């Protein structure tokens, strides 16, 4: 399967992006050709990656590495009066509780095709958990390079699926060791190799199935999709899926794609405020730590900019107060405990829905169970009472909140 550069159109190979564009100071992930969906039918599409396996850059005789990922629900949210409809695509319903399962299923199936024996990934969160789980399913050794101090639940999850977990003092050290392991040891990279480019170009194709499912479930009602953005892998994959659907005539238009970012690391928002594509593609910002720790970056990755451009979309920076309030609200009103990064996308979607007529969907990438504790959030949820029905009744009536109607 050939890979091409979506910026200059030249051919390429490997996992480090386009060498020609890199010489110009623009780092671009390679991608396979778009799939031809003209013989496909959305009405009969059951969801996931492998009913339409021919849309993936994988040889047809390779058995999929699958744990039943995909076909996740769209949950209609309680909206504000006068706003357009708003929904969440709940990717926490995947086997390791995140959207990364789709990408890792595709990436590990490609690893199986290539005859890899050792998989390596640099991650402190969802990608590492998914890579470890799908490597175990494929019967491959998985090395997860991370930083010291990852959330304890992630450490337990990685250990539980047999990953070898190695910590470094900084992300720079971690990424340096990743690149060396791929180049010098020949290990297969489940995600990125060059941190300026983006993820595994074969794995990113797994995210196209989110677009297929959204188109199947919502049709022409779908107007906007907001996506938590870091390197733009998810944004790019969803955009490619919608582009394939539009070119095959299966949808009338590509919904506007929105890169949702924390205001402390809003590279896409900064880039799109600039007047021309060249300056946008060279945008660099200073990223500050935030509770939305898994998104934001110093680069406006080309693949994300490209997805925004082809869809007529935008980027939106969300302040911490707004996305933390949204996280609490979506849990209280709708029963969804989302990761903080997902709350950024939901907050952006709610703002867009205020003036929209069609459906706005936020992609919720994972569950909040994996997030580190917020400062000041260590008060226990457990209340210990004496075993009397009177004390139970009195305490609940006095203190317990009622769900909104």
């Amino acid at each position: 399967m050939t890979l091409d550069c979506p910026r200059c159109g030249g051919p390429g190979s490997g996992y480090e992006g386009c060498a020609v564009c890199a010489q110009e100071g623009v780092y671009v992930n390679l991608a396979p050709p778009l799939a031809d969906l003209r013989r496909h039918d959305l009405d009969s599409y059951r969801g996931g990656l492998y009913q339409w396996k021919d849309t993936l850059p994988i040889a047809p005789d390779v058995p999929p590495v699958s744990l039943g990922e995909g076909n996740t629900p769209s949950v209609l949210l309680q909206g504000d009066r006068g706003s357009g409809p708003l929904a969440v695509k709940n990717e926490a319903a995947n086997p390791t509780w995140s959207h990364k399962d789709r990408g890792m299923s595709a990436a590990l199936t490609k690893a199986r095709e290539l005859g890899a024996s050792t998989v390596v990934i640099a991650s402190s969160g969802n990608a590492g958990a998914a890579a470890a789980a799908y490597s175990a399913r494929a019967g491959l050794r998985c090395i997860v390079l991370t930083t010291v101090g990852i959330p304890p639940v992630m450490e337990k999850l990685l250990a539980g699926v047999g990953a070898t977990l190695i910590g470094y003092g900084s992300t720079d050290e971690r990424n340096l060791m990743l690149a060396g392991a791929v180049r010098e040891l020949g290990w297969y990279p489940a995600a990125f190799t060059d941190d300026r480019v983006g993820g595994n170009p074969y794995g990113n194709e797994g995210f196209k199935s989110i677009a297929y499912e959204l188109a199947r479930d919502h049709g022409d009602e779908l107007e906007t999709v907001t996506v938590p953005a870091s390197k733009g892998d998810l944004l790019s994959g969803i955009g490619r899926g919608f582009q394939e659907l539009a070119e095959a005539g299966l949808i009338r238009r590509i919904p506007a794609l929105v890169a949702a970012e924390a205001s402390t690391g809003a590279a896409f928002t900064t880039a799109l405020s600039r007047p021309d594509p060249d300056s946008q593609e060279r945008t660099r910002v200073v990223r500050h730590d935030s509770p939305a720790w898994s998104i934001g970056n110093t680069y406006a990755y080309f693949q994300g900019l490209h997805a925004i451009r082809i869809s007529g979309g935008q980027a939106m920076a969300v302040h911490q107060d707004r996305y933390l309030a949204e996280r609490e609200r979506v849990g209280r009103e709708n029963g969804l405990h989302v990761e903080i990064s997902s709350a950024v996308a939901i907050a952006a979607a709610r703002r867009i829905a205020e003036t929209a007529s069609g459906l706005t969907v936020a992609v919720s990438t994972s569950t909040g169970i994996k997030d580190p504790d917020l400062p000041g959030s260590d008060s226990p949820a457990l209340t210990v009472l004496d075993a009397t029905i009177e004390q139970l009744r009195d305490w609940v009536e006095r203190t317990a909140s009622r769900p909104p109607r």
Side-chain angles (χ1 to χ4, degrees):
M1 173 65 70
T2 61
L3 297 173
D4 299 303
C5 174
R7 181 174 179 266
C8 72
S13 62
Y15 306 95
E16 298 188 35
C18 176
V20 174
C21 291
Q23 290 178 347
E24 300 176 15
V26 181
Y27 301 95
V28 184
N29 206 355
L30 301 172
L34 291 172
D36 184 352
L37 301 187
R38 284 177 295 179
R39 296 185 180 181
H40 294 75
D41 177 22
L42 273 174
D43 291 337
S44 62
Y45 173 57
R46 296 189 300 273
L49 281 66
Y50 296 108
Q51 183 188 355
W52 290 0
K53 187 181 176 184
D54 61 315
T55 66
L56 297 172
I58 296 165
D61 59 342
V62 178
V65 179
S66 177
L67 291 168
E69 61 291 327
N71 209 29
T72 55
S74 287
V75 181
L76 194 65
L77 299 187
Q78 303 281 353
D80 296 319
R81 183 173 297 178
S83 293
L86 175 64
V88 163
K89 179 70 166 165
N90 184 19
E91 288 294 290
N94 282 306
T96 74
W97 315 334
S98 93
H99 70 293
K100 293 290 188 180
D101 290 350
R102 297 181 192 255
M104 291 304 163
S105 177
L108 267 294
T109 303
K110 191 67 179 182
R112 173 179 278 175
E113 177 187 339
L114 297 174
S117 60
T118 299
V119 173
V120 64
I121 187 169
S123 173
S124 299
N126 294 325
Y134 283 81
S135 294
R137 183 69 168 172
L140 303 179
R141 182 171 62 178
C142 183
I143 313 300
V144 179
L145 310 180
T146 188
T147 51
V148 176
I150 66 170
V153 69
M154 294 303 304
E155 195 168 340
K156 290 179 182 178
L157 181 57
L158 288 161
V161 291
T164 298
L165 187 60
I166 301 171
Y168 293 96
S170 69
T171 55
D172 287 342
E173 290 180 359
R174 178 197 74 172
N175 295 347
L176 181 66
M177 295 307 299
L178 169 73
V182 174
R183 294 168 188 159
E184 298 175 35
L185 303 179
W187 294 353
Y188 178 83
F192 65 87
T193 300
D194 187 329
D195 191 42
R196 301 167 297 182
V197 170
N200 182 308
Y202 302 105
N204 287 353
E205 294 291 282
F207 299 133
K208 296 190 302 187
S209 55
I210 295 177
Y212 304 160
E213 291 170 15
L214 288 173
R216 177 202 62 189
D217 293 342
H218 303 298
D220 290 333
E221 182 190 9
L222 182 60
E223 187 172 300
T224 306
V225 180
T226 66
V227 184
S230 177
K231 296 180 177 67
D233 293 328
L234 179 59
L235 189 67
S236 175
I238 292 173
R240 286 173 57 80
F242 280 125
Q243 192 175 2
E244 291 174 351
L245 290 164
E247 291 187 3
L250 297 178
I251 57 175
R252 289 196 298 179
R253 56 177 171 77
I254 300 175
L257 298 180
V258 177
E261 307 176 284
S263 58
T264 48
F268 288 108
T269 305
T270 303
L272 292 173
S273 69
R274 295 179 174 171
D276 62 273
D278 186 66
S279 62
Q280 292 172 3
E281 292 160 12
R282 299 172 190 277
T283 295
R284 305 289 185 270
V285 300
V286 177
R287 179 185 181 273
H288 300 281
D289 291 338
S290 79
W293 60 284
S294 63
I295 62 172
N297 222 299
T298 57
Y299 294 88
Y301 285 70
F302 179 86
Q303 60 183 4
L305 289 171
H306 185 62
I308 293 168
R309 289 167 182 166
I310 65 170
S311 69
Q314 62 175 302
M316 184 175 292
V318 183
H319 191 271
Q320 176 175 321
D321 291 347
R322 190 178 184 106
Y323 63 73
L324 290 181
E326 183 61 58
R327 185 189 194 221
E328 181 180 350
R329 178 180 180 179
V330 77
R332 185 179 67 250
E333 294 184 357
N334 297 278
L336 294 173
H337 184 46
V338 302
E339 68 174 351
I340 297 174
S341 299
S342 296
V344 177
I346 300 172
R350 196 178 296 277
R351 186 183 302 175
I352 290 166
E354 291 172 358
T355 56
S357 55
L359 176 66
T360 304
V361 173
V363 178
S364 178
T365 46
S366 188
T367 170
I369 292 171
K370 298 179 185 177
D371 275 329
D373 289 334
L374 292 171
S377 64
D378 55 354
S379 58
L382 177 68
T383 298
V384 179
L385 300 175
D386 294 333
T388 68
I389 197 67
E390 292 80 12
Q391 192 173 96
L392 173 63
R393 178 199 61 212
D394 292 346
W395 188 91
V396 168
E397 290 297 324
R398 188 170 62 250
T399 64
S401 62
R402 296 179 185 274
R405 295 185 180 275

Coordinates of all heavy atoms in Angstrom, one line a residue, residues 191-265:
A191 N 2.1 4.2 17.3 CA 1.6 5.5 17.1 C 2.6 6.4 16.4 O 3.0 6.0 15.3 CB 1.2 6.2 18.5
F192 N 3.1 7.5 16.9 CA 4.0 8.3 16.2 C 5.4 7.8 16.3 O 5.8 7.1 17.3 CB 3.9 9.8 16.6 CG 4.3 10.0 18.1 CD1 5.6 10.2 18.4 CD2 3.3 9.9 19.1 CE1 6.0 10.5 19.7 CE2 3.7 10.2 20.4 CZ 5.0 10.4 20.7
T193 N 6.3 8.3 15.4 CA 7.7 8.1 15.6 C 8.3 9.5 15.7 O 9.1 9.8 16.7 CB 8.4 7.4 14.4 OG1 7.8 6.1 14.3 CG2 9.9 7.3 14.6
D194 N 8.0 10.4 14.8 CA 8.4 11.8 14.9 C 7.3 12.6 15.5 O 6.2 12.7 14.9 CB 8.8 12.4 13.5 CG 9.4 13.8 13.6 OD1 9.0 14.5 14.5 OD2 10.2 14.1 12.7
D195 N 7.5 13.2 16.7 CA 6.4 13.8 17.4 C 5.8 15.1 16.7 O 4.8 15.6 17.1 CB 6.9 14.2 18.8 CG 5.8 14.7 19.7 OD1 4.8 14.0 19.8 OD2 6.0 15.7 20.4
R196 N 6.5 15.5 15.7 CA 6.0 16.7 14.9 C 5.1 16.3 13.8 O 4.5 17.2 13.1 CB 7.2 17.5 14.4 CG 8.2 18.0 15.4 CD 9.5 18.4 14.8 NE 10.2 17.3 14.1 CZ 11.4 17.5 13.5 NH1 12.0 18.6 13.5 NH2 11.9 16.4 12.8
V197 N 4.9 15.0 13.5 CA 4.2 14.6 12.3 C 2.8 14.1 12.7 O 1.8 14.6 12.1 CB 5.0 13.5 11.6 CG1 4.2 12.8 10.5 CG2 6.3 14.1 11.1
G198 N 2.6 13.2 13.6 CA 1.3 12.6 13.9 C 1.5 11.1 14.0 O 2.6 10.6 14.0
G199 N 0.4 10.4 14.1 CA 0.4 9.0 14.4 C 0.7 8.0 13.3 O 0.9 8.5 12.1
N200 N 0.7 6.8 13.6 CA 0.9 5.7 12.6 C -0.1 5.9 11.4 O -1.3 5.9 11.7 CB 0.7 4.3 13.3 CG 0.9 3.2 12.3 OD1 0.3 3.1 11.3 ND2 1.7 2.2 12.8
P201 N 0.3 6.1 10.2 CA -0.6 6.4 9.1 C -1.6 5.3 8.8 O -2.7 5.6 8.2 CB 0.3 6.7 7.9 CG 1.6 6.1 8.3 CD 1.7 6.1 9.7
Y202 N -1.2 4.1 9.1 CA -2.2 3.0 8.9 C -3.2 2.9 10.0 O -4.4 2.7 9.8 CB -1.4 1.6 8.8 CG -0.4 1.6 7.7 CD1 1.0 1.7 8.0 CD2 -0.7 1.5 6.4 CE1 2.0 1.7 7.0 CE2 0.2 1.5 5.3 CZ 1.6 1.6 5.7 OH 2.5 1.7 4.7
G203 N -2.7 3.1 11.2 CA -3.6 3.1 12.4 C -4.7 4.3 12.3 O -5.8 4.1 12.7
N204 N -4.2 5.4 11.8 CA -5.2 6.6 11.8 C -6.4 6.3 10.9 O -7.4 6.9 11.0 CB -4.4 7.8 11.3 CG -3.5 8.4 12.3 OD1 -3.5 8.0 13.5 ND2 -2.7 9.4 11.9
E205 N -6.2 5.4 9.9 CA -7.3 5.0 9.1 C -8.5 4.3 9.8 O -9.6 4.3 9.4 CB -6.9 4.1 7.9 CG -5.9 4.7 7.0 CD -6.6 5.8 6.1 OE1 -7.3 5.5 5.2 OE2 -6.4 7.0 6.5
G206 N -8.2 3.8 11.0 CA -9.2 3.2 11.8 C -10.2 4.2 12.3 O -11.4 3.9 12.6
F207 N -9.8 5.5 12.4 CA -10.8 6.5 12.9 C -11.8 6.9 11.8 O -12.8 7.6 12.2 CB -10.0 7.8 13.3 CG -9.0 7.5 14.4 CD1 -7.7 8.0 14.3 CD2 -9.4 6.8 15.5 CE1 -6.8 7.8 15.3 CE2 -8.5 6.6 16.6 CZ -7.2 7.1 16.5
K208 N -11.6 6.5 10.6 CA -12.6 6.8 9.6 C -14.0 6.2 9.9 O -15.0 6.7 9.5 CB -12.2 6.2 8.2 CG -10.9 6.9 7.6 CD -10.6 6.5 6.2 CE -10.5 5.0 6.0 NZ -10.1 4.7 4.6
S209 N -14.0 5.1 10.6 CA -15.2 4.4 11.0 C -16.1 5.2 11.8 O -17.3 5.1 11.9 CB -14.9 3.0 11.6 OG -14.1 3.2 12.8
I210 N -15.5 6.2 12.6 CA -16.4 7.1 13.4 C -17.2 8.0 12.4 O -18.4 8.2 12.6 CB -15.5 8.0 14.3 CG1 -14.8 7.2 15.3 CG2 -16.3 9.1 14.9 CD1 -13.9 8.0 16.2
A211 N -16.6 8.4 11.3 CA -17.4 9.2 10.3 C -18.5 8.4 9.7 O -19.6 8.8 9.5 CB -16.4 9.8 9.3
Y212 N -18.1 7.1 9.3 CA -19.1 6.3 8.7 C -20.3 6.1 9.7 O -21.5 6.1 9.2 CB -18.5 4.9 8.4 CG -17.3 4.8 7.6 CD1 -16.5 3.7 7.6 CD2 -17.0 5.9 6.7 CE1 -15.4 3.6 6.8 CE2 -15.8 5.8 5.9 CZ -15.0 4.7 6.0 OH -13.9 4.6 5.2
E213 N -20.0 5.8 11.0 CA -21.1 5.6 11.9 C -22.0 6.9 12.1 O -23.2 6.8 12.2 CB -20.5 5.1 13.2 CG -20.0 3.7 13.2 CD -19.2 3.3 14.4 OE1 -19.3 4.0 15.4 OE2 -18.4 2.3 14.3
L214 N -21.3 8.0 12.2 CA -22.1 9.3 12.4 C -23.0 9.5 11.2 O -24.1 10.0 11.3 CB -21.1 10.4 12.6 CG -20.4 10.5 14.0 CD1 -19.3 11.6 14.0 CD2 -21.4 10.7 15.1
A215 N -22.4 9.3 10.0 CA -23.2 9.5 8.8 C -24.4 8.5 8.7 O -25.5 8.9 8.4 CB -22.4 9.3 7.5
R216 N -24.2 7.3 9.1 CA -25.3 6.3 9.2 C -26.3 6.7 10.2 O -27.5 6.6 9.9 CB -24.7 4.9 9.5 CG -25.7 3.8 9.7 CD -25.1 2.7 10.5 NE -24.8 3.1 11.9 CZ -24.2 2.4 12.8 NH1 -23.8 1.1 12.5 NH2 -24.0 2.8 14.0
D217 N -25.9 7.1 11.3 CA -26.9 7.4 12.4 C -27.6 8.7 12.3 O -28.7 8.8 12.8 CB -26.1 7.3 13.8 CG -25.6 6.0 14.1 OD1 -26.1 5.0 13.5 OD2 -24.7 5.9 15.0
H218 N -27.0 9.7 11.6 CA -27.6 11.0 11.6 C -27.8 11.6 10.3 O -28.6 12.6 10.2 CB -26.7 12.0 12.4 CG -26.4 11.5 13.8 ND1 -27.4 11.4 14.8 CD2 -25.3 11.1 14.5 CE1 -26.9 10.9 15.9 NE2 -25.6 10.8 15.8
G219 N -27.3 11.1 9.2 CA -27.6 11.5 7.9 C -27.3 13.0 7.7 O -26.4 13.6 8.3
D220 N -28.2 13.7 6.9 CA -28.0 15.1 6.6 C -28.3 16.0 7.7 O -28.0 17.2 7.6 CB -28.8 15.4 5.4 CG -28.4 14.8 4.1 OD1 -27.1 14.5 4.0 OD2 -29.2 14.5 3.2
E221 N -28.8 15.5 8.8 CA -29.0 16.3 10.0 C -27.7 16.8 10.6 O -27.6 17.8 11.3 CB -29.9 15.6 11.1 CG -30.2 16.4 12.3 CD -30.8 15.6 13.4 OE1 -30.8 14.3 13.3 OE2 -31.2 16.2 14.4
L222 N -26.7 16.0 10.4 CA -25.4 16.3 11.1 C -24.8 17.5 10.4 O -24.5 17.5 9.2 CB -24.5 15.1 10.9 CG -23.1 15.2 11.6 CD1 -23.2 15.3 13.1 CD2 -22.3 13.9 11.2
E223 N -24.5 18.5 11.3 CA -24.0 19.8 10.8 C -22.5 20.0 11.2 O -21.7 20.5 10.4 CB -24.9 20.9 11.3 CG -24.6 22.3 10.8 CD -25.6 23.3 11.2 OE1 -26.8 23.1 10.8 OE2 -25.3 24.3 11.9
T224 N -22.2 19.7 12.4 CA -20.9 20.0 13.0 C -20.4 18.8 13.9 O -21.2 18.2 14.6 CB -20.9 21.3 13.8 OG1 -21.4 22.3 13.0 CG2 -19.5 21.7 14.3
V225 N -19.1 18.5 13.8 CA -18.5 17.5 14.7 C -17.3 18.2 15.4 O -16.4 18.7 14.7 CB -18.0 16.3 14.0 CG1 -17.4 15.3 14.9 CG2 -19.2 15.6 13.2
T226 N -17.3 18.2 16.7 CA -16.2 18.8 17.5 C -15.3 17.6 18.0 O -15.8 16.6 18.5 CB -16.7 19.7 18.7 OG1 -17.3 18.9 19.6 CG2 -17.6 20.8 18.2
V227 N -14.0 17.8 18.0 CA -13.1 16.7 18.2 C -12.0 17.3 19.1 O -11.3 18.3 18.8 CB -12.5 16.2 16.9 CG1 -11.5 15.0 17.2 CG2 -13.5 15.8 15.9
P228 N -11.7 16.6 20.3 CA -10.5 17.1 21.0 C -9.2 16.9 20.2 O -9.0 15.9 19.5 CB -10.5 16.1 22.2 CG -11.8 15.5 22.3 CD -12.3 15.5 20.9
A229 N -8.4 18.0 20.2 CA -7.3 18.0 19.3 C -5.9 18.1 20.0 O -5.7 19.0 20.8 CB -7.4 19.2 18.3
S230 N -5.0 17.3 19.5 CA -3.6 17.4 19.9 C -2.8 17.3 18.7 O -2.5 18.4 18.1 CB -3.2 16.3 20.9 OG -1.8 16.3 21.2
K231 N -2.4 16.1 18.2 CA -1.7 16.0 16.9 C -2.6 16.0 15.7 O -2.2 15.9 14.6 CB -0.9 14.7 17.0 CG 0.2 14.7 18.0 CD 1.0 13.4 18.0 CE 2.2 13.4 19.0 NZ 1.7 13.4 20.4
G232 N -3.9 15.9 16.0 CA -4.9 15.9 14.9 C -5.1 14.5 14.3 O -5.7 14.4 13.2
D233 N -4.6 13.4 14.9 CA -4.8 12.1 14.3 C -6.3 11.8 14.2 O -6.8 11.3 13.1 CB -4.2 11.0 15.2 CG -2.7 11.1 15.2 OD1 -2.1 11.5 14.1 OD2 -2.1 10.8 16.2
L234 N -7.1 12.0 15.3 CA -8.5 11.7 15.3 C -9.2 12.6 14.3 O -10.1 12.2 13.5 CB -9.0 11.8 16.7 CG -10.5 11.5 16.9 CD1 -10.9 10.1 16.4 CD2 -10.9 11.7 18.3
L235 N -8.9 13.9 14.4 CA -9.6 14.9 13.5 C -9.3 14.5 12.0 O -10.2 14.5 11.2 CB -9.0 16.2 13.8 CG -9.6 17.5 13.2 CD1 -11.0 17.7 13.7 CD2 -8.7 18.7 13.5
S236 N -8.1 14.1 11.7 CA -7.7 13.8 10.4 C -8.5 12.5 9.9 O -9.0 12.4 8.8 CB -6.2 13.6 10.2 OG -5.9 13.1 8.9
G237 N -8.5 11.5 10.7 CA -9.1 10.2 10.4 C -10.6 10.4 10.1 O -11.2 9.9 9.1
I238 N -11.3 11.2 11.0 CA -12.7 11.5 10.8 C -12.9 12.2 9.5 O -13.9 12.0 8.8 CB -13.3 12.2 12.0 CG1 -13.3 11.3 13.3 CG2 -14.7 12.7 11.8 CD1 -13.6 12.0 14.6
G239 N -12.1 13.2 9.3 CA -12.2 14.0 8.1 C -12.0 13.2 6.8 O -12.8 13.4 5.8
R240 N -11.1 12.2 6.8 CA -10.9 11.4 5.7 C -12.1 10.5 5.5 O -12.5 10.2 4.3 CB -9.6 10.6 5.8 CG -8.4 11.4 5.6 CD -7.1 10.6 6.0 NE -7.0 9.3 5.2 CZ -6.5 9.3 4.0 NH1 -6.2 10.4 3.3 NH2 -6.4 8.1 3.4
G241 N -12.7 10.0 6.5 CA -13.9 9.2 6.4 C -15.1 10.0 5.8 O -15.7 9.5 4.8
F242 N -15.3 11.2 6.2 CA -16.3 12.0 5.6 C -16.0 12.4 4.2 O -16.9 12.4 3.3 CB -16.6 13.3 6.4 CG -17.4 13.1 7.7 CD1 -16.9 13.5 8.9 CD2 -18.7 12.5 7.6 CE1 -17.7 13.3 10.1 CE2 -19.4 12.4 8.7 CZ -18.9 12.7 10.0
Q243 N -14.7 12.6 3.9 CA -14.4 12.9 2.5 C -14.7 11.7 1.6 O -15.2 11.9 0.5 CB -12.9 13.2 2.4 CG -12.4 13.9 1.1 CD -10.9 14.3 1.2 OE1 -10.2 14.1 2.2 NE2 -10.5 14.9 0.1
E244 N -14.4 10.5 2.0 CA -14.7 9.3 1.2 C -16.2 9.2 1.0 O -16.6 8.9 -0.1 CB -14.2 8.1 2.0 CG -12.6 8.0 2.0 CD -12.1 6.8 2.8 OE1 -13.0 6.2 3.5 OE2 -10.9 6.5 2.7
L245 N -17.0 9.4 2.0 CA -18.4 9.3 1.9 C -19.0 10.4 0.9 O -19.8 10.0 0.1 CB -19.1 9.5 3.3 CG -18.9 8.4 4.3 CD1 -19.2 9.0 5.7 CD2 -19.7 7.2 4.0
A246 N -18.4 11.6 1.0 CA -18.9 12.6 0.1 C -18.5 12.3 -1.3 O -19.3 12.5 -2.3 CB -18.3 14.0 0.5
E247 N -17.3 11.9 -1.6 CA -16.9 11.6 -2.9 C -17.6 10.4 -3.6 O -17.8 10.4 -4.8 CB -15.4 11.3 -3.0 CG -14.5 12.5 -2.7 CD -13.0 12.3 -2.8 OE1 -12.7 11.2 -3.2 OE2 -12.3 13.2 -2.6
A248 N -18.2 9.5 -2.7 CA -19.0 8.4 -3.2 C -20.5 8.8 -3.3 O -21.3 8.0 -3.8 CB -18.8 7.2 -2.3
G249 N -20.8 10.0 -2.9 CA -22.2 10.4 -3.0 C -23.1 9.8 -1.9 O -24.3 9.9 -2.0
L250 N -22.5 9.3 -0.8 CA -23.2 8.7 0.3 C -23.7 9.8 1.3 O -24.6 9.5 2.1 CB -22.4 7.7 1.0 CG -22.0 6.5 0.1 CD1 -21.2 5.5 0.9 CD2 -23.3 5.7 -0.4
I251 N -23.1 11.0 1.3 CA -23.6 12.1 2.0 C -23.5 13.3 1.1 O -22.8 13.4 0.2 CB -22.7 12.4 3.3 CG1 -21.3 12.6 3.0 CG2 -22.9 11.3 4.3 CD1 -20.4 13.0 4.2
R252 N -24.4 14.3 1.4 CA -24.5 15.5 0.5 C -23.4 16.4 0.8 O -22.9 17.2 -0.1 CB -25.8 16.2 0.7 CG -27.0 15.4 0.1 CD -28.2 16.2 0.0 NE -28.7 16.7 1.3 CZ -29.8 17.5 1.4 NH1 -30.4 17.9 0.4 NH2 -30.1 17.9 2.6
R253 N -22.9 16.5 2.0 CA -21.8 17.4 2.4 C -21.0 16.9 3.5 O -21.5 16.1 4.3 CB -22.4 18.8 2.7 CG -23.4 18.8 3.8 CD -23.9 20.1 4.2 NE -25.0 20.0 5.2 CZ -24.9 19.7 6.4 NH1 -23.7 19.5 7.0 NH2 -26.0 19.7 7.2
I254 N -19.8 17.4 3.7 CA -19.0 17.0 4.8 C -19.4 18.0 6.0 O -19.4 19.2 5.8 CB -17.5 17.2 4.5 CG1 -17.1 16.3 3.3 CG2 -16.6 16.9 5.7 CD1 -15.7 16.5 2.8
P255 N -19.7 17.4 7.1 CA -20.0 18.3 8.3 C -18.7 19.1 8.6 O -17.6 18.7 8.4 CB -20.4 17.4 9.4 CG -19.9 16.1 9.0 CD -19.8 16.0 7.5
A256 N -19.0 20.3 9.2 CA -17.8 21.1 9.6 C -17.1 20.5 10.8 O -17.8 20.1 11.8 CB -18.3 22.5 10.1
L257 N -15.8 20.3 10.7 CA -15.0 19.7 11.8 C -14.3 20.8 12.6 O -13.8 21.8 12.0 CB -14.0 18.8 11.2 CG -14.5 17.6 10.4 CD1 -13.4 16.8 9.8 CD2 -15.4 16.8 11.2
V258 N -14.4 20.7 13.9 CA -13.9 21.7 14.8 C -12.8 21.1 15.7 O -13.1 20.1 16.4 CB -15.0 22.3 15.7 CG1 -14.5 23.3 16.7 CG2 -16.1 22.9 14.8
A259 N -11.6 21.6 15.7 CA -10.6 21.2 16.6 C -10.8 21.9 17.9 O -10.7 23.2 18.0 CB -9.2 21.6 16.0
A260 N -11.2 21.2 18.9 CA -11.5 21.7 20.3 C -10.2 21.6 21.1 O -9.6 20.5 21.3 CB -12.6 20.9 20.9
E261 N -9.8 22.8 21.7 CA -8.5 22.9 22.4 C -8.7 23.6 23.7 O -9.5 24.5 23.8 CB -7.5 23.7 21.6 CG -7.3 23.2 20.1 CD -6.3 24.1 19.4 OE1 -6.8 25.2 19.0 OE2 -5.2 23.7 19.2
A262 N -7.9 23.2 24.7 CA -7.8 24.0 25.9 C -7.1 25.3 25.5 O -6.1 25.3 24.7 CB -7.0 23.2 27.0
S263 N -7.5 26.4 26.2 CA -6.9 27.7 25.8 C -5.4 27.8 26.2 O -4.7 28.7 25.7 CB -7.7 28.8 26.5 OG -7.7 28.6 27.9
T264 N -4.9 26.8 27.0 CA -3.5 26.8 27.4 C -2.6 26.2 26.4 O -1.4 26.1 26.6 CB -3.4 26.1 28.7 OG1 -4.1 24.9 28.7 CG2 -3.9 27.0 29.9
G265 N -3.1 25.6 25.3 CA -2.3 25.0 24.3 C -3.0 25.0 22.9 O -3.2 23.9 22.3

